[in-house]
Amino acid sequence: MEQEKLKVEESLNIISEMVNSSKYNLSEDKGIYLMWGYAVAISAIIHYILQFHLEFKEAHYVWLSMPVLGVINTVYFARKSKKKKVYTYIDRALSYIWLGFLFVILALLVISPQFGMNVVYPIFMFLYGIATISTAGIIKFKPLAIGGVISVLCGIVAAYLNFEYQILLLAFAIVCSFVIPGHLLKNTK
């Protein structure tokens, strides 16, 4: 009788431990949102200043920092994946959303000479919106959804503006969809 009671308690502890380890920790990935948000916003502002105030023709080179961040991002998620004991539906859904986001961004960069950056930048803002709204729905975090909606609205406005202003709107959109929610994720579990 005593031994059966112990087995039940052990089983409950194991189940409880598994449930706790499978919960998605909202604050766990805040650094990634902040890293990408600040990097894109700062790059966009530097691009704007170099091209439109200092008339530097090769201002787009500022974006070469993005592949370096991509490597940092890949290393981060590879290490996180090794440490993780349980891979949940939420983990899998978020992975595919952001992987799809990355592939579409890269595809747009490849075809951008065909259409021009003034066409591609509003689409980037739509993509930020889609990815953050989807993520917000999965992890139930409203600031990400609000940021995503603002990003989509910025994309609509940007479609009617010159490239000069699109760069500034891109910085604003990424601050709303990545940086602000990233800071709000700080103490959320």
Side-chain angles (χ1 to χ4, degrees), residues 108-130:
L108 283 171
L109 289 172
V110 169
I111 65 168
S112 64
Q114 183 73 22
F115 300 104
M117 291 309 283
N118 61 329
V119 173
V120 173
Y121 271 46
I123 297 171
F124 284 168
M125 293 177 233
F126 294 148
L127 290 171
Y128 296 151
I130 291 168

Side-chain angles (χ1 to χ4, degrees), residues 92-106 131:
R92 201 170 39 255
L94 292 176
S95 293
Y96 277 94
I97 286 171
W98 290 100
L99 193 62
F101 168 83
L102 174 67
F103 282 132
V104 174
I105 289 278
L106 292 174

Side-chain angles (χ1 to χ4, degrees), residues 54-121:
L54 302 176
E55 298 180 4
F56 183 65
K57 290 182 181 176
E58 307 299 333
H60 59 276
Y61 283 140
V62 73
W63 295 105
L64 290 177
S65 62
M66 296 299 121
V68 174
L69 293 179
V71 170
I72 292 169
N73 194 61
T74 302
V75 169
Y76 168 78
F77 280 106
R79 285 185 177 172
K80 183 179 169 186
S81 180
K82 278 185 179 177
K83 290 179 185 174
K84 204 158 186 107
K85 295 176 185 169
V86 179
Y87 203 66
T88 65
Y89 169 78
I90 290 174
D91 295 323
R92 201 170 39 255
L94 292 176
S95 293
Y96 277 94
I97 286 171
W98 290 100
L99 193 62
F101 168 83
L102 174 67
F103 282 132
V104 174
I105 289 278
L106 292 174
L108 283 171
L109 289 172
V110 169
I111 65 168
S112 64
Q114 183 73 22
F115 300 104
M117 291 309 283
N118 61 329
V119 173
V120 173
Y121 271 46

Side-chain angles (χ1 to χ4, degrees), residues 40 43-48 51-52 59-64 66 105 108-109 112 115-129 151-152 154-171 173-174:
V40 171
S43 296
I45 292 168
I46 291 172
H47 185 164
Y48 171 78
Q51 185 169 344
F52 298 106
H60 59 276
Y61 283 140
V62 73
W63 295 105
L64 290 177
M66 296 299 121
I105 289 278
L108 283 171
L109 289 172
S112 64
F115 300 104
M117 291 309 283
N118 61 329
V119 173
V120 173
Y121 271 46
I123 297 171
F124 284 168
M125 293 177 233
F126 294 148
L127 290 171
Y128 296 151
S151 188
V152 170
C154 286
I156 293 170
V157 173
Y160 296 98
L161 297 176
N162 293 331
F163 183 66
E164 177 180 1
Y165 301 109
Q166 287 182 351
I167 294 174
L168 294 176
L169 261 180
L170 180 76
I174 200 77

Side-chain angles (χ1 to χ4, degrees), residues 16-33:
S16 174
E17 195 174 293
M18 286 179 69
V19 167
N20 285 334
S21 68
S22 68
K23 284 182 182 173
Y24 184 79
N25 185 349
L26 286 177
S27 65
E28 201 174 280
D29 295 333
K30 69 179 182 240
I32 292 298
Y33 286 103

